[in-house]
């Protein structure tokens, strides 16, 4: 018999490189909220047919797509592991992380707690 993890349990960790399940971008996780913690305006701006449940982890990403780099806030249900093994091109990475092993970045010591 297999046990299902509660939806609130984070599947991804800080420093992990992930990609969006539906949209064409990828990023490195720099923070995790155990459940939705953004504004109602942000949530309502998501098309209703794509709106994720609020009772799941949400991840803050240093993200990139073909055109730019930015910060993204993404629900767990919309993330997949990124298996390309390629670094994320975002100017804020060097300030938070050091070293990339092909799957994840190592958090700088001053940012660990």
């Amino acid at each position: 018999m297999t046990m299902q993890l509660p939806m609130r349990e984070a599947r991804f960790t800080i420093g992990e490189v992930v990609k969006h399940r539906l949209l064409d971008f990828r990023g490195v996780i720099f923070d995790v909220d155990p459940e939705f913690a953004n504004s109602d305006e942000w949530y309502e701006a998501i098309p209703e047919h794509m709106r994720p449940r609020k009772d799941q982890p949400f991840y803050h990403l240093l993200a990139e797509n073909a055109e730019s780099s930015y910060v993204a806030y993404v629900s767990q249900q919309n993330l997949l592991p990124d298996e390309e093994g390629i670094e994320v091109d975002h100017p804020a990475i060097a300030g938070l992380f050091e070293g990339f092993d092909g799957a994840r970045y190592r958090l700088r010591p001053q940012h660990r707690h």
Side-chain angles (χ1 to χ4, degrees), residues 9 11 23 26 28-29 34 37 47 49 54 56-57 60 62-63 73 81 86 88 93 105 111:
E9 190 161 319
R11 282 191 214 134
L23 306 175
R26 58 196 289 273
V28 57
I29 296 167
H49 70 282
K54 290 183 174 183
Q56 63 181 306
H60 299 261
L62 298 176
Y73 190 63
I86 300 170
V88 174
I93 287 177
Y105 286 86
H111 297 294

Side-chain angles (χ1 to χ4, degrees), residues 7-67:
M7 195 59 180
R8 285 188 132 146
E9 190 161 319
R11 282 191 214 134
F12 305 105
T13 60
I14 291 174
E16 195 167 347
V17 178
V18 292
K19 62 184 177 181
H20 197 282
R21 181 185 303 273
L22 306 170
L23 306 175
D24 190 23
F25 72 85
R26 58 196 289 273
V28 57
I29 296 167
F30 70 91
D31 198 7
V32 182
D33 294 333
E35 60 185 31
F36 180 79
N38 206 333
S39 70
D40 289 334
E41 292 78 21
W42 182 93
Y43 189 75
E44 296 298 324
I46 300 169
E48 193 169 345
H49 70 282
M50 292 178 63
R51 215 173 277 158
R53 294 193 345 254
K54 290 183 174 183
D55 66 339
Q56 63 181 306
F58 275 72
Y59 299 84
H60 299 261
L61 307 178
L62 298 176
E64 67 168 354
N65 62 25
E67 292 84 41

